[in-house]
Short mmCIF file of all heavy atoms in Angstrom, two decimals:
data_model
loop_
_atom_site.label_atom_id
_atom_site.label_comp_id
_atom_site.label_asym_id
_atom_site.label_seq_id
_atom_site.Cartn_x
_atom_site.Cartn_y
_atom_site.Cartn_z
N ALA A 180 5.96 -5.61 -15.01
CA ALA A 180 7.42 -5.88 -14.84
C ALA A 180 7.66 -7.19 -15.50
O ALA A 180 8.76 -7.72 -15.24
CB ALA A 180 7.69 -5.91 -13.38
N ASP A 181 6.93 -7.62 -16.46
CA ASP A 181 7.17 -8.86 -17.24
C ASP A 181 7.10 -10.17 -16.54
O ASP A 181 7.74 -11.13 -17.04
CB ASP A 181 8.47 -8.61 -18.00
CG ASP A 181 8.43 -7.42 -18.93
OD1 ASP A 181 7.29 -7.15 -19.46
OD2 ASP A 181 9.47 -6.74 -19.20
N ALA A 182 6.51 -10.28 -15.41
CA ALA A 182 6.35 -11.54 -14.78
C ALA A 182 5.13 -12.20 -15.54
O ALA A 182 4.30 -11.61 -16.02
CB ALA A 182 6.02 -11.48 -13.26
N THR A 183 4.99 -13.51 -15.38
CA THR A 183 3.72 -14.29 -15.86
C THR A 183 2.99 -14.60 -14.52
O THR A 183 3.41 -15.27 -13.62
CB THR A 183 4.10 -15.55 -16.51
OG1 THR A 183 5.05 -15.19 -17.57
CG2 THR A 183 2.98 -16.26 -16.94
N VAL A 184 1.78 -13.96 -14.41
CA VAL A 184 1.11 -13.77 -13.18
C VAL A 184 -0.16 -14.60 -13.09
O VAL A 184 -0.97 -14.65 -14.08
CB VAL A 184 0.76 -12.33 -12.87
CG1 VAL A 184 0.11 -12.18 -11.53
CG2 VAL A 184 2.07 -11.42 -12.93
N THR A 185 -0.29 -15.33 -11.95
CA THR A 185 -1.61 -16.02 -11.73
C THR A 185 -2.19 -15.35 -10.46
O THR A 185 -1.59 -15.12 -9.42
CB THR A 185 -1.40 -17.48 -11.49
OG1 THR A 185 -0.68 -18.09 -12.56
CG2 THR A 185 -2.72 -18.24 -11.20
N LEU A 186 -3.50 -14.93 -10.59
CA LEU A 186 -4.19 -14.33 -9.44
C LEU A 186 -5.13 -15.33 -8.74
O LEU A 186 -6.13 -15.70 -9.31
CB LEU A 186 -4.98 -13.02 -9.88
CG LEU A 186 -5.67 -12.27 -8.83
CD1 LEU A 186 -4.76 -11.93 -7.64
CD2 LEU A 186 -6.36 -11.02 -9.43
N CYS A 187 -4.72 -15.72 -7.55
CA CYS A 187 -5.55 -16.81 -6.86
C CYS A 187 -6.29 -16.05 -5.75
O CYS A 187 -6.02 -14.93 -5.38
CB CYS A 187 -4.69 -17.70 -6.16
SG CYS A 187 -3.62 -18.78 -7.37
N HIS A 188 -7.38 -16.71 -5.18
CA HIS A 188 -8.19 -16.07 -4.31
C HIS A 188 -8.97 -17.14 -3.54
O HIS A 188 -8.75 -18.33 -3.64
CB HIS A 188 -9.21 -15.06 -4.94
CG HIS A 188 -9.90 -15.77 -6.11
ND1 HIS A 188 -10.86 -16.70 -6.06
CD2 HIS A 188 -9.67 -15.58 -7.49
CE1 HIS A 188 -11.22 -17.12 -7.28
NE2 HIS A 188 -10.44 -16.41 -8.21
N SER A 189 -9.88 -16.66 -2.60
CA SER A 189 -10.49 -17.60 -1.63
C SER A 189 -11.27 -18.75 -2.28
O SER A 189 -11.56 -19.76 -1.80
CB SER A 189 -11.47 -16.83 -0.73
OG SER A 189 -12.36 -16.11 -1.52
N LYS A 190 -11.67 -18.63 -3.64
CA LYS A 190 -12.41 -19.70 -4.28
C LYS A 190 -11.48 -20.54 -5.20
O LYS A 190 -11.95 -21.42 -5.93
CB LYS A 190 -13.49 -19.15 -5.18
CG LYS A 190 -14.55 -18.28 -4.41
CD LYS A 190 -15.41 -19.09 -3.41
CE LYS A 190 -16.56 -18.42 -2.89
NZ LYS A 190 -16.17 -17.26 -1.98
N THR A 191 -10.13 -20.32 -5.08
CA THR A 191 -9.29 -21.12 -6.00
C THR A 191 -9.25 -22.45 -5.41
O THR A 191 -9.05 -22.70 -4.24
CB THR A 191 -7.84 -20.44 -5.94
OG1 THR A 191 -7.89 -19.19 -6.42
CG2 THR A 191 -6.85 -21.32 -6.66
N LYS A 192 -9.32 -23.42 -6.37
CA LYS A 192 -9.23 -24.82 -5.87
C LYS A 192 -7.74 -25.30 -5.94
O LYS A 192 -7.04 -24.95 -7.00
CB LYS A 192 -10.08 -25.68 -6.91
CG LYS A 192 -11.59 -25.47 -6.73
CD LYS A 192 -12.40 -26.68 -7.14
CE LYS A 192 -13.78 -26.55 -6.68
NZ LYS A 192 -14.54 -25.49 -7.57
N ASN A 193 -7.40 -26.07 -5.00
CA ASN A 193 -6.06 -26.63 -5.04
C ASN A 193 -4.93 -25.49 -5.12
O ASN A 193 -4.06 -25.49 -6.00
CB ASN A 193 -5.72 -27.68 -6.23
CG ASN A 193 -6.77 -28.77 -6.00
OD1 ASN A 193 -7.15 -29.17 -5.02
ND2 ASN A 193 -7.26 -29.20 -7.23
N LEU A 194 -5.01 -24.62 -4.13
CA LEU A 194 -4.17 -23.32 -4.10
C LEU A 194 -2.69 -23.82 -4.30
O LEU A 194 -1.89 -23.16 -4.98
CB LEU A 194 -4.34 -22.65 -2.83
CG LEU A 194 -3.61 -21.43 -2.70
CD1 LEU A 194 -3.93 -20.43 -3.71
CD2 LEU A 194 -3.82 -20.76 -1.30
N ARG A 195 -2.33 -24.95 -3.66
CA ARG A 195 -0.95 -25.35 -3.62
C ARG A 195 -0.36 -25.73 -4.90
O ARG A 195 0.76 -25.57 -5.23
CB ARG A 195 -0.77 -26.62 -2.55
CG ARG A 195 0.70 -26.94 -2.40
CD ARG A 195 0.87 -28.09 -1.52
NE ARG A 195 0.45 -27.79 -0.06
CZ ARG A 195 0.15 -28.64 0.86
NH1 ARG A 195 0.43 -29.96 0.68
NH2 ARG A 195 -0.16 -28.30 2.04
N ASP A 196 -1.28 -26.11 -5.89
CA ASP A 196 -0.78 -26.48 -7.17
C ASP A 196 -0.29 -25.21 -7.88
O ASP A 196 0.68 -25.29 -8.72
CB ASP A 196 -2.05 -26.93 -8.16
CG ASP A 196 -2.52 -28.24 -7.78
OD1 ASP A 196 -1.89 -28.96 -6.95
OD2 ASP A 196 -3.64 -28.66 -8.22
N PHE A 197 -0.81 -24.03 -7.48
CA PHE A 197 -0.24 -22.75 -8.04
C PHE A 197 0.90 -22.27 -7.24
O PHE A 197 1.92 -21.95 -7.96
CB PHE A 197 -1.36 -21.65 -8.02
CG PHE A 197 -2.59 -22.12 -8.81
CD1 PHE A 197 -3.68 -22.77 -8.20
CD2 PHE A 197 -2.60 -21.77 -10.25
CE1 PHE A 197 -4.77 -23.14 -9.07
CE2 PHE A 197 -3.69 -22.21 -11.04
CZ PHE A 197 -4.86 -22.88 -10.34
N THR A 198 0.76 -22.23 -5.97
CA THR A 198 1.86 -21.61 -5.16
C THR A 198 3.13 -22.51 -5.34
O THR A 198 4.26 -21.86 -5.36
CB THR A 198 1.62 -21.48 -3.69
OG1 THR A 198 1.17 -22.87 -3.26
CG2 THR A 198 0.40 -20.57 -3.46
N SER A 199 3.11 -23.77 -5.54
CA SER A 199 4.21 -24.61 -5.49
C SER A 199 5.02 -24.54 -6.82
O SER A 199 6.08 -25.11 -6.94
CB SER A 199 3.87 -26.07 -5.11
OG SER A 199 2.99 -26.56 -6.14
N GLN A 200 4.38 -23.87 -7.78
CA GLN A 200 5.02 -23.64 -9.05
C GLN A 200 5.71 -22.31 -9.20
O GLN A 200 6.37 -22.00 -10.19
CB GLN A 200 3.99 -23.75 -10.21
CG GLN A 200 3.26 -25.09 -10.43
CD GLN A 200 4.21 -26.17 -11.03
OE1 GLN A 200 4.76 -25.85 -12.02
NE2 GLN A 200 4.19 -27.27 -10.45
N ALA A 201 5.39 -21.46 -8.21
CA ALA A 201 5.78 -20.04 -8.33
C ALA A 201 7.22 -19.67 -7.88
O ALA A 201 7.64 -20.25 -6.96
CB ALA A 201 4.77 -19.22 -7.62
N ASP A 202 7.86 -18.80 -8.66
CA ASP A 202 9.10 -18.29 -8.30
C ASP A 202 8.95 -17.10 -7.22
O ASP A 202 9.78 -16.84 -6.39
CB ASP A 202 9.85 -17.58 -9.48
CG ASP A 202 10.03 -18.62 -10.62
OD1 ASP A 202 10.65 -19.73 -10.35
OD2 ASP A 202 9.53 -18.43 -11.76
N ILE A 203 7.78 -16.37 -7.46
CA ILE A 203 7.53 -15.24 -6.52
C ILE A 203 6.07 -15.46 -6.03
O ILE A 203 5.14 -15.60 -6.87
CB ILE A 203 7.66 -13.84 -7.21
CG1 ILE A 203 9.07 -13.67 -7.75
CG2 ILE A 203 7.19 -12.72 -6.30
CD1 ILE A 203 9.18 -12.54 -8.69
N VAL A 204 5.80 -15.41 -4.76
CA VAL A 204 4.45 -15.58 -4.26
C VAL A 204 4.14 -14.34 -3.39
O VAL A 204 4.90 -14.10 -2.36
CB VAL A 204 4.23 -16.76 -3.43
CG1 VAL A 204 2.74 -17.02 -3.04
CG2 VAL A 204 4.75 -18.07 -4.17
N VAL A 205 3.14 -13.60 -3.70
CA VAL A 205 2.69 -12.50 -2.81
C VAL A 205 1.40 -13.03 -2.15
O VAL A 205 0.41 -13.17 -2.77
CB VAL A 205 2.41 -11.24 -3.64
CG1 VAL A 205 1.92 -10.07 -2.69
CG2 VAL A 205 3.67 -10.81 -4.45
N VAL A 206 1.43 -13.10 -0.82
CA VAL A 206 0.33 -13.59 -0.06
C VAL A 206 -0.46 -12.49 0.60
O VAL A 206 0.12 -11.87 1.58
CB VAL A 206 0.79 -14.60 0.93
CG1 VAL A 206 -0.41 -15.41 1.43
CG2 VAL A 206 1.84 -15.63 0.37
N ALA A 207 -1.71 -12.20 0.10
CA ALA A 207 -2.48 -11.14 0.69
C ALA A 207 -3.88 -11.72 0.93
O ALA A 207 -4.90 -11.22 0.45
CB ALA A 207 -2.49 -9.86 -0.18
N ALA A 208 -3.92 -12.82 1.62
CA ALA A 208 -5.17 -13.56 1.71
C ALA A 208 -5.94 -13.13 2.92
O ALA A 208 -7.19 -13.30 3.04
CB ALA A 208 -4.83 -15.05 1.89
N GLY A 209 -5.17 -12.50 3.90
CA GLY A 209 -5.92 -12.12 5.03
C GLY A 209 -6.17 -13.20 6.00
O GLY A 209 -7.24 -13.12 6.72
N ARG A 210 -5.52 -14.27 5.95
CA ARG A 210 -5.78 -15.47 6.73
C ARG A 210 -4.50 -15.89 7.55
O ARG A 210 -3.42 -16.27 6.85
CB ARG A 210 -6.35 -16.69 5.93
CG ARG A 210 -7.76 -16.36 5.57
CD ARG A 210 -8.34 -17.44 4.69
NE ARG A 210 -8.26 -18.76 5.42
CZ ARG A 210 -8.55 -19.88 4.84
NH1 ARG A 210 -8.91 -19.98 3.55
NH2 ARG A 210 -8.58 -20.93 5.65
N ARG A 211 -4.55 -15.80 8.78
CA ARG A 211 -3.39 -15.98 9.64
C ARG A 211 -2.72 -17.44 9.40
O ARG A 211 -3.41 -18.42 9.34
CB ARG A 211 -3.90 -15.98 11.08
CG ARG A 211 -2.91 -16.48 12.17
CD ARG A 211 -3.78 -16.68 13.43
NE ARG A 211 -4.64 -15.52 13.75
CZ ARG A 211 -4.51 -14.58 14.53
NH1 ARG A 211 -3.47 -14.66 15.31
NH2 ARG A 211 -5.33 -13.59 14.71
N HIS A 212 -1.45 -17.35 9.08
CA HIS A 212 -0.64 -18.57 8.99
C HIS A 212 -1.20 -19.58 7.93
O HIS A 212 -1.17 -20.85 8.12
CB HIS A 212 -0.51 -19.30 10.37
CG HIS A 212 0.45 -18.72 11.20
ND1 HIS A 212 0.64 -19.06 12.49
CD2 HIS A 212 1.44 -17.83 10.97
CE1 HIS A 212 1.68 -18.35 12.98
NE2 HIS A 212 2.20 -17.57 12.07
N LEU A 213 -1.83 -19.03 6.86
CA LEU A 213 -2.45 -19.90 5.85
C LEU A 213 -1.48 -20.81 5.16
O LEU A 213 -1.77 -21.96 4.94
CB LEU A 213 -3.14 -18.97 4.80
CG LEU A 213 -3.75 -19.69 3.58
CD1 LEU A 213 -4.93 -20.42 4.07
CD2 LEU A 213 -4.08 -18.58 2.46
N LEU A 214 -0.29 -20.34 4.88
CA LEU A 214 0.70 -21.17 4.06
C LEU A 214 1.89 -21.42 4.86
O LEU A 214 2.42 -20.67 5.73
CB LEU A 214 1.02 -20.35 2.78
CG LEU A 214 -0.05 -19.96 1.84
CD1 LEU A 214 0.53 -19.22 0.66
CD2 LEU A 214 -0.84 -21.30 1.39
N GLY A 215 2.51 -22.59 4.55
CA GLY A 215 3.79 -23.06 5.09
C GLY A 215 4.71 -23.56 4.06
O GLY A 215 4.45 -23.57 2.93
N ARG A 216 5.81 -24.17 4.59
CA ARG A 216 6.86 -24.61 3.68
C ARG A 216 6.39 -25.49 2.57
O ARG A 216 6.83 -25.41 1.41
CB ARG A 216 7.86 -25.39 4.59
CG ARG A 216 8.97 -26.17 3.81
CD ARG A 216 9.81 -26.89 4.95
NE ARG A 216 10.92 -27.58 4.32
CZ ARG A 216 12.18 -27.46 4.72
NH1 ARG A 216 12.44 -26.77 5.73
NH2 ARG A 216 13.09 -28.19 4.16
N GLU A 217 5.48 -26.44 2.86
CA GLU A 217 5.07 -27.41 1.80
C GLU A 217 4.25 -26.77 0.68
O GLU A 217 4.00 -27.35 -0.37
CB GLU A 217 4.22 -28.46 2.46
CG GLU A 217 2.85 -28.16 3.03
CD GLU A 217 2.90 -27.58 4.37
OE1 GLU A 217 4.01 -27.16 4.95
OE2 GLU A 217 1.84 -27.47 5.01
N ASP A 218 3.94 -25.47 0.82
CA ASP A 218 3.14 -24.77 -0.24
C ASP A 218 4.06 -24.17 -1.24
O ASP A 218 3.53 -23.67 -2.24
CB ASP A 218 2.20 -23.77 0.44
CG ASP A 218 1.15 -24.37 1.34
OD1 ASP A 218 0.36 -25.13 0.82
OD2 ASP A 218 1.10 -24.07 2.51
N PHE A 219 5.35 -24.06 -0.86
CA PHE A 219 6.19 -23.28 -1.82
C PHE A 219 7.27 -24.16 -2.40
O PHE A 219 7.71 -25.24 -1.67
CB PHE A 219 6.88 -22.18 -0.99
CG PHE A 219 5.94 -21.28 -0.25
CD1 PHE A 219 5.74 -21.30 1.03
CD2 PHE A 219 5.27 -20.33 -1.03
CE1 PHE A 219 4.82 -20.43 1.67
CE2 PHE A 219 4.39 -19.41 -0.43
CZ PHE A 219 4.21 -19.40 0.98
N LYS A 220 7.65 -23.76 -3.59
CA LYS A 220 8.95 -24.38 -4.12
C LYS A 220 10.10 -23.94 -3.42
O LYS A 220 10.30 -22.85 -2.87
CB LYS A 220 8.96 -23.71 -5.56
CG LYS A 220 10.14 -24.16 -6.47
CD LYS A 220 9.74 -23.60 -7.90
CE LYS A 220 10.47 -22.48 -8.26
NZ LYS A 220 10.40 -22.26 -9.76
N ALA A 221 11.12 -24.83 -3.32
CA ALA A 221 12.39 -24.39 -2.67
C ALA A 221 13.03 -23.30 -3.36
O ALA A 221 13.04 -23.35 -4.68
CB ALA A 221 13.43 -25.57 -2.64
N GLY A 222 13.42 -22.18 -2.73
CA GLY A 222 14.05 -21.16 -3.34
C GLY A 222 13.11 -20.06 -3.86
O GLY A 222 13.51 -19.04 -4.52
N ALA A 223 11.84 -20.28 -3.45
CA ALA A 223 10.88 -19.17 -3.89
C ALA A 223 11.04 -17.93 -3.10
O ALA A 223 11.73 -17.80 -2.09
CB ALA A 223 9.49 -19.65 -3.47
N VAL A 224 10.61 -16.73 -3.75
CA VAL A 224 10.61 -15.45 -3.00
C VAL A 224 9.23 -15.25 -2.49
O VAL A 224 8.25 -15.31 -3.16
CB VAL A 224 10.91 -14.31 -4.08
CG1 VAL A 224 10.89 -12.97 -3.39
CG2 VAL A 224 12.28 -14.59 -4.55
N ILE A 225 9.09 -15.00 -1.17
CA ILE A 225 7.79 -14.99 -0.65
C ILE A 225 7.58 -13.66 0.13
O ILE A 225 8.43 -13.12 0.95
CB ILE A 225 7.70 -16.10 0.50
CG1 ILE A 225 7.93 -17.41 -0.13
CG2 ILE A 225 6.30 -16.04 1.24
CD1 ILE A 225 8.10 -18.63 0.80
N ILE A 226 6.46 -13.02 -0.29
CA ILE A 226 6.09 -11.75 0.19
C ILE A 226 4.78 -11.86 0.97
O ILE A 226 3.77 -12.27 0.42
CB ILE A 226 5.83 -10.68 -0.99
CG1 ILE A 226 6.96 -10.69 -1.98
CG2 ILE A 226 5.51 -9.27 -0.46
CD1 ILE A 226 8.29 -9.96 -1.41
N ASP A 227 4.87 -11.47 2.24
CA ASP A 227 3.74 -11.67 3.17
C ASP A 227 3.04 -10.37 3.45
O ASP A 227 3.73 -9.64 4.22
CB ASP A 227 4.20 -12.49 4.46
CG ASP A 227 3.07 -12.87 5.28
OD1 ASP A 227 1.86 -12.47 5.04
OD2 ASP A 227 3.31 -13.68 6.25
N VAL A 228 1.88 -10.21 2.99
CA VAL A 228 1.12 -8.97 3.26
C VAL A 228 0.24 -9.02 4.48
O VAL A 228 -0.24 -8.07 5.01
CB VAL A 228 0.33 -8.52 1.97
CG1 VAL A 228 -0.30 -7.19 2.14
CG2 VAL A 228 1.16 -8.51 0.67
N GLY A 229 0.10 -10.23 4.97
CA GLY A 229 -0.80 -10.41 6.13
C GLY A 229 -0.32 -9.75 7.34
O GLY A 229 0.97 -9.56 7.55
N ILE A 230 -1.26 -9.31 8.25
CA ILE A 230 -0.89 -8.79 9.52
C ILE A 230 -1.88 -9.05 10.47
O ILE A 230 -3.06 -8.64 10.38
CB ILE A 230 -0.44 -7.27 9.36
CG1 ILE A 230 0.05 -6.79 10.74
CG2 ILE A 230 -1.47 -6.41 8.95
CD1 ILE A 230 1.06 -5.70 10.55
N HIS A 231 -1.56 -10.04 11.45
CA HIS A 231 -2.64 -10.45 12.37
C HIS A 231 -2.10 -10.26 13.84
O HIS A 231 -1.01 -10.72 14.16
CB HIS A 231 -2.88 -11.90 12.19
CG HIS A 231 -3.36 -12.24 10.58
ND1 HIS A 231 -4.51 -11.91 10.10
CD2 HIS A 231 -2.48 -12.66 9.72
CE1 HIS A 231 -4.43 -12.23 8.92
NE2 HIS A 231 -3.28 -12.69 8.48
N GLY A 232 -2.88 -9.73 14.69
CA GLY A 232 -2.56 -9.66 16.09
C GLY A 232 -2.88 -11.03 16.75
O GLY A 232 -3.80 -11.77 16.26
N THR A 233 -2.09 -11.42 17.74
CA THR A 233 -2.41 -12.64 18.39
C THR A 233 -2.72 -12.49 19.84
O THR A 233 -2.49 -13.34 20.69
CB THR A 233 -1.06 -13.59 18.26
OG1 THR A 233 -0.01 -12.83 18.65
CG2 THR A 233 -0.90 -13.96 16.86
N GLY A 234 -3.19 -11.26 20.18
CA GLY A 234 -3.51 -10.99 21.55
C GLY A 234 -2.49 -9.98 22.20
O GLY A 234 -1.46 -9.72 21.63
N GLN A 235 -2.96 -9.50 23.29
CA GLN A 235 -2.19 -8.42 23.92
C GLN A 235 -0.66 -8.77 24.18
O GLN A 235 -0.54 -9.92 24.70
CB GLN A 235 -2.85 -7.98 25.26
CG GLN A 235 -2.48 -6.61 25.57
CD GLN A 235 -3.53 -6.01 26.56
OE1 GLN A 235 -4.14 -6.70 27.33
NE2 GLN A 235 -3.69 -4.70 26.57
N ASP A 236 0.26 -7.95 23.91
CA ASP A 236 1.63 -8.20 24.05
C ASP A 236 2.17 -9.34 23.25
O ASP A 236 3.37 -9.79 23.48
CB ASP A 236 1.99 -8.28 25.51
CG ASP A 236 1.58 -7.03 26.31
OD1 ASP A 236 1.68 -5.91 25.64
OD2 ASP A 236 1.23 -7.22 27.45
N GLN A 237 1.37 -9.95 22.45
CA GLN A 237 1.92 -11.03 21.60
C GLN A 237 2.40 -10.53 20.29
O GLN A 237 1.90 -9.42 19.78
CB GLN A 237 0.83 -12.05 21.35
CG GLN A 237 0.31 -12.73 22.54
CD GLN A 237 1.44 -13.58 23.22
OE1 GLN A 237 2.05 -14.45 22.61
NE2 GLN A 237 1.71 -13.32 24.47
N PRO A 238 3.35 -11.15 19.54
CA PRO A 238 3.88 -10.62 18.38
C PRO A 238 2.81 -10.65 17.21
O PRO A 238 1.99 -11.50 17.31
CB PRO A 238 5.08 -11.50 18.08
CG PRO A 238 4.81 -12.74 18.86
CD PRO A 238 4.04 -12.36 20.06
N LEU A 239 2.89 -9.82 16.24
CA LEU A 239 2.08 -9.83 15.01
C LEU A 239 2.56 -11.00 14.18
O LEU A 239 3.83 -11.33 14.23
CB LEU A 239 2.23 -8.62 14.29
CG LEU A 239 1.77 -7.35 14.96
CD1 LEU A 239 2.05 -6.08 14.19
CD2 LEU A 239 0.18 -7.33 15.17
#
Side-chain angles (χ1 to χ4, degrees):
D181 297 328
T183 302
V184 182
T185 304
L186 182 54
C187 298
H188 47 75
S189 53
K190 302 290 190 296
T191 298
K192 293 206 166 71
N193 304 322
L194 182 62
R195 188 179 293 170
D196 288 351
F197 297 93
T198 55
S199 62
Q200 297 283 315
D202 303 304
I203 301 169
V204 186
V205 179
V206 193
R210 289 180 55 189
R211 168 196 316 256
H212 281 171
L213 176 68
L214 301 179
R216 177 183 178 126
E217 68 277 16
D218 295 301
F219 302 104
K220 175 166 106 168
V224 174
I225 302 171
I226 309 288
D227 190 349
V228 185
I230 181 150
H231 309 277
T233 50
Q235 207 159 26
D236 299 328
Q237 294 299 305
L239 296 170

